[in-house]
Amino acid sequence: MQIARDVLLQSYRAMRTIRVFEERLHVEFATGEIPGFVHLYCGEEASAVGVCAHLSENDTIASTHRGHGHCIAKGVDVGGMMAEIYGRQTGVCRGKGGSMHIADLSKGMLGANGIVGGGPPLICGAALSHKTLKDNGVAVAFYGDGASNEGFTLESLNLATVWKLPAVFVVEDNGYGEATGSSYACAGTQKDRAAGFGMKYLECDGTDFFSVYETAGEAIAHARSGKGPVMLHVHLSRWYGHFEGDAMTYRAAGEVVREKETRDCLNIFRDKVTQTSLLDPTALDDIDHAVDDEVESAVQAAKAAPWPEDKALMADVYVSY
């Protein structure tokens, strides 16, 4: 598999940005300055980036409550995202969405979603739009193992197959639906569920960017060529709790420590590209420093930004056609 150097650099930067962004939020949320809930994506970076590396702004994605990584991978502005999470007027949704409802239609990002399994129905609509307009677009839904049990997720799989939509359903299986293990809560297999709808099924190691990139490329090409929807099952791990403040008492002692030591997608990426001389370590170090500066600037700008004005309270509530 040949990947251009600029794609490797862009992908590493996106993964590093997600990691630093989320780890900084972990610190900032503890200060009490961030309103609402926050669900962090650390450990899962290769999934969002490996998939979105194949997408353009014309393609659309729908996310989950754990959506910061998807937003960054799809190109949403980091400063605007941070301001949104802080509830400020300069946020991408003018401070009205917060962490769980970041959206940027100009980037094809239909939104993070506080409704578990809320993304699959949305991308059926987006995929139907791409098919009707014949714009060569693909719609991608990210959802977790918990959301795979939701009725409207299964209805979406059925609808996408019946209508032969250019859709990809990415199951980010991090092993837990909130605090319940997927091995307990998900009957059968995701592969069998896809087969039940006559849908193409692929799976990959979500800790390895190259595995995700190659498999996602096959899935997206299949959907884009008019052959119908695909289920992409990504096996990965989240490092923080379901939400910030979750004590994770349901996880085994040392489980997360082992995941960080052996399955860190950033370390795996760095080792592979440097050992094969695809990228120089100094180029990656430069990206690390630039990302640190970018996230620091985003935090300071967000804290200094104004709150939404009272007169904006009822704006954007209704739409007229």
Side-chain angles (χ1 to χ4, degrees):
M1 178 178 56
Q2 297 295 320
I3 304 177
R5 184 175 184 273
D6 62 331
V7 173
L8 290 174
L9 289 170
Q10 291 167 8
S11 298
Y12 179 76
R13 179 169 186 132
M15 289 193 292
R16 175 58 67 181
T17 301
I18 295 168
R19 176 68 56 84
V20 176
F21 189 93
E22 298 292 70
E23 289 185 337
R24 183 60 181 270
L25 280 182
H26 178 65
V27 174
E28 294 296 328
F29 188 80
T31 68
E33 295 183 60
I34 294 176
F37 278 106
V38 169
H39 306 75
L40 301 181
Y41 195 72
C42 285
E44 306 183 23
E45 295 88 350
S47 175
V49 175
V51 172
C52 290
H54 296 280
L55 303 178
S56 70
E57 289 187 1
N58 180 56
D59 298 315
T60 45
I61 70 169
S63 182
T64 71
H65 54 275
R66 199 177 309 284
H68 306 156
H70 306 136
C71 291
I72 292 171
K74 196 60 171 66
V76 180
D77 178 68
V78 169
M81 285 178 59
M82 189 67 75
E84 186 62 35
I85 291 169
Y86 269 89
R88 304 308 172 102
Q89 194 178 96
T90 53
V92 290
C93 299
R94 290 176 288 218
K96 292 184 166 188
S99 169
M100 284 194 286
H101 302 95
I102 296 174
D104 187 345
L105 300 186
S106 71
K107 298 293 184 180
M109 172 56 183
L110 298 182
N113 206 313
I115 299 173
V116 176
L122 294 180
I123 68 106
C124 282
L128 178 61
S129 177
H130 289 309
K131 183 175 181 177
T132 302
L133 296 175
K134 298 180 180 179
D135 64 5
N136 200 40
V138 170
V140 177
F142 293 93
Y143 61 99
D145 42 282
S148 71
N149 293 331
E150 294 289 342
F152 37 73
T153 296
L154 300 173
E155 292 167 6
S156 298
L157 299 178
N158 182 72
L159 185 66
T161 304
V162 170
W163 286 353
K164 205 173 183 180
L165 297 177
V168 178
F169 297 88
V170 182
V171 187
E172 293 187 314
D173 189 348
N174 60 32
Y176 296 94
E178 294 197 12
T180 304
S182 57
S183 60
Y184 170 83
C186 296
T189 67
Q190 299 294 340
K191 182 177 182 179
D192 288 342
R193 294 184 183 196
F197 296 103
M199 181 180 294
K200 183 178 178 65
Y201 171 88
L202 297 168
E203 63 182 329
C204 62
D205 178 1
T207 67
D208 182 351
F209 167 81
F210 294 93
S211 176
V212 178
Y213 182 88
E214 182 175 15
T215 313
E218 180 182 349
I220 291 166
H222 179 95
R224 201 184 299 280
S225 66
K227 296 178 181 177
V230 183
M231 178 187 290
L232 173 58
H233 188 186
V234 185
H235 301 274
L236 36 68
S237 173
R238 60 172 162 86
W239 290 1
Y240 292 106
H242 171 63
F243 58 89
E244 282 300 272
D246 177 2
M248 292 197 291
T249 55
Y250 48 89
R251 301 190 75 164
E255 179 182 344
V256 175
V257 173
R258 288 193 298 273
E259 293 287 342
K260 291 181 177 181
E261 290 175 347
T262 63
R263 302 183 72 208
D264 184 338
C265 59
L266 284 167
N267 289 342
I268 292 171
F269 180 95
R270 180 182 276 264
D271 288 345
K272 286 192 173 185
V273 297
T274 55
Q275 290 172 8
T276 56
S277 299
L278 291 171
L279 294 176
D280 189 278
T282 57
L284 302 179
D285 293 339
D286 290 343
I287 289 174
D288 291 348
H289 297 317
V291 168
D292 288 343
D293 291 343
E294 181 182 17
V295 173
E296 175 65 28
S297 296
V299 170
Q300 298 308 321
K303 290 182 176 183
W307 296 98
E309 297 179 1
D310 290 346
K311 64 182 181 181
L313 183 62
M314 297 302 293
D316 309 312
V317 175
Y318 302 103
V319 64
S320 58
Y321 296 97

